DNA sequence: TGATGCAAAGCTGTATACAGATATGAACGC
DNA sequence: GCGTTCATATCTGTATACAGCTTTGCATCA
């Protein structure tokens, strides 16, 4: 039988999920005792998980006052997307230079297979997951664990923004095809070992979404401050 | 009177210092009780600090077995330096595009002022601090807190390698001037708003040190496994 | 001699208690 | 009505205790 996930991991996962989807409202103080009761644990392991989340940028901490949900300013969104550019542009450069031929082929096949799902655009969350998965796999082609780790962190922190952004896109009109072809252009450049091409495609792709995301953060504020969601 | 630093901050700083300069030996298990006695605290705040260090990549954690000092493989060094390239190359790009004219001038002046100290190369640790400071300030020109944060983390994690690398450089011959002029070329490119020039100078500058650092890690192993240092 | 199993020691995971700091709200004065 | 002060309640910071898991070292056996 598989090893049961340890309790602190369970707490960490739960808390990170709460932080990423803003079950905590921005800037709100986090009550440790309440969390402990809610998650059926004592304060000690809860605080350990919270400390990790602070280090990862999901929460902030003020000595003597406790833990707080991070705020979400347009400036932070800008910073996070620029950081994504830094990580992902270099990743595709490395991928174009040394990505495994077979892995690239697999990724291209996979992209083609799920293209219909992109364009059908039934479920925004599924679309988000596909988008994120593609970027993660692309980064994996570079074979650099640190870049992968940085991207994973950034993805977690902007997930909610991406969701709101995608919802906006879908409301405007069908955009699944646009996303698929952007992804395909990046991957094609990598396949033909065109590092510069891949880099500029990736940069353009992310920057295109940056403005959408800064707009999304304003929408997000509206959606965040409802009683419960 | 200034607010006294909280105890957990003190512990965190102490532990991070121990992790960065490898007072813990790579892959060694960390005994919480011993640390608690040594640092005059109980295990609870120690564990909170350790959890943060795990999230920051200084330590690893295995459920049920505890905390371990990270290992230092040539692959990890490679990854960290490539991540530095990602962060710093994009930073100088942004700095060239939007860095404040006045800040750039200040940095140029400062670089000129301390050039003699670089070349005298008396103290390797001082040289290291100057190098790190320059890169940090350069990154600050980009005005992106996330990139700055990522770089700060990377700097902490490679500090020891940089030290060993610099020692090797100094042993071979005088290299302070080489470093100064590399820094000056990057800054000059930024000053004339030449983003591409700044990017390729920065890339070359970091990659030049990458091989030195992977060699340094082998030397580091030799220096790490002496009884105490 | 080398492998295996077992018992003891040590360490981690977490609940709990309590001291001290911080936030809250009521009472009071302006 | 509005700000101030103080008492109260709440929450954080950390020590400590203890259960359960891991490791270690010894003894046994092939």
């Amino acid at each position: 039988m598989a090893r049961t996930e340890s309790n602190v991991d369970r707490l960490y996962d739960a808390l990170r999920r709460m932080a990423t989807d803003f079950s905590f409202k921005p800037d709100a103080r986090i009550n440790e005792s309440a969390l402990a009761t809610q998650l059926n644990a004592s304060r000690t392991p809860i605080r350990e998980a919270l400390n990790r989340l602070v280090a990862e940028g999901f929460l902030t901490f003020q000595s003597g006052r406790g833990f707080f949900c991070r705020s979400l300013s347009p400036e932070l969104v800008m910073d996070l997307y620029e950081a994504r550019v830094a990580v992902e542009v270099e990743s595709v450069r490395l991928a174009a230079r040394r990505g495994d031929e077979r892995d690239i082929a697999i990724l291209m096949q996979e992209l083609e297979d799920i293209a219909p799902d992109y364009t059908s655009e039934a479920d925004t969350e599924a679309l988000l997951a596909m988008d994120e998965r593609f970027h993660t796999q692309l980064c994996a082609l570079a074979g650099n664990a640190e870049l992968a780790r940085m991207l994973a962190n950034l993805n977690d922190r902007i997930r909610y923004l991406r969701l709101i952004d995608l919802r906006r896109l879908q409301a405007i009109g069908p955009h699944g095809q646009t996303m698929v072809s952007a992804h395909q252009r990046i991957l094609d450049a990598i396949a033909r070992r065109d590092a510069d091409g891949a880099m500029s495609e990736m940069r353009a792709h992310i920057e295109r979404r940056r403005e959408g995301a800064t707009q999304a953060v304003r929408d997000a504020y509206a959606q965040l401050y409802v009683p419960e969601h």
Side-chain angles (χ1 to χ4, degrees), chain A:
Chain A
M1 174 176 164
R3 188 186 183 313
T4 62
E5 190 182 46
S6 82
N7 190 36
V8 69
D9 287 342
R10 178 182 66 83
L11 294 174
Y12 171 77
D13 289 343
L15 290 169
R16 195 180 53 174
R17 197 158 19 245
M18 291 169 84
T20 56
D21 67 10
F22 288 94
S23 297
F24 307 124
K25 289 174 188 160
D27 281 325
R29 187 220 218 104
I30 290 169
N31 187 326
E32 299 169 13
S33 309
L35 271 184
T37 314
Q38 183 184 339
L39 296 174
N40 226 49
S42 76
R43 282 176 53 223
T44 312
I46 296 270
R47 280 178 64 98
E48 293 195 6
L50 291 174
N51 270 290
R52 282 202 219 179
L53 292 167
V54 168
E56 290 169 346
F58 294 106
L59 303 174
T60 61
F61 173 77
Q62 289 178 49
S63 179
R65 301 196 52 224
F67 298 87
F68 296 80
C69 186
R70 72 189 187 283
S71 64
L72 242 199
S73 65
E75 291 74 34
L76 177 60
V77 176
M78 185 81 156
D79 286 358
L80 289 170
Y81 270 76
E82 283 179 355
R84 250 190 88 187
V85 169
V87 170
E88 297 209 57
V89 166
E90 185 65 16
S91 290
V92 293
R93 178 177 173 275
L94 294 171
R97 290 168 73 97
R98 69 184 183 206
D100 182 78
E101 202 80 40
R102 185 181 288 283
D103 292 339
I104 296 171
I106 292 172
L107 197 46
M108 289 184 91
Q109 185 58 50
E110 195 171 317
L111 188 56
E112 234 167 81
D113 290 347
I114 61 167
D117 299 332
Y118 269 90
T119 44
S120 73
E121 309 183 26
D123 182 358
T124 314
E125 303 213 7
L127 194 63
L128 168 64
M130 281 188 281
D131 179 42
E132 201 178 296
R133 179 175 158 81
F134 174 77
H135 282 273
T136 303
Q137 289 181 312
L138 208 56
C139 184
L141 289 179
N144 183 312
E146 285 304 318
L147 289 173
R149 171 195 169 100
M150 286 173 168
L151 181 59
N153 178 258
L154 291 171
N155 276 340
D156 280 342
R157 294 169 68 192
I158 65 174
R159 184 167 301 131
Y160 197 69
L161 295 173
R162 250 174 164 157
L163 183 65
I164 312 271
D165 182 35
L166 281 179
R167 284 211 190 108
R168 274 180 61 252
L169 265 189
Q170 290 188 303
I172 297 169
H175 280 80
Q177 191 50 51
T178 319
M179 207 160 86
V180 174
S181 34
H183 286 183
Q184 268 166 344
R185 279 200 305 277
I186 297 169
L187 200 48
D188 284 346
I190 291 174
R192 62 174 187 271
R193 304 301 179 182
D194 174 10
D196 289 337
M199 290 168 85
S200 53
E201 288 287 353
M202 177 60 92
R203 182 184 296 282
H205 176 57
I206 299 176
E207 288 184 347
R208 240 176 276 136
R209 297 270 41 85
R210 200 187 54 204
E211 288 310 310
T214 46
Q215 182 55 43
V217 74
R218 303 183 203 283
D219 296 6
Y221 265 87
Q223 299 192 26
L224 249 41
Y225 287 125
V226 291
E228 292 302 336
H229 64 276

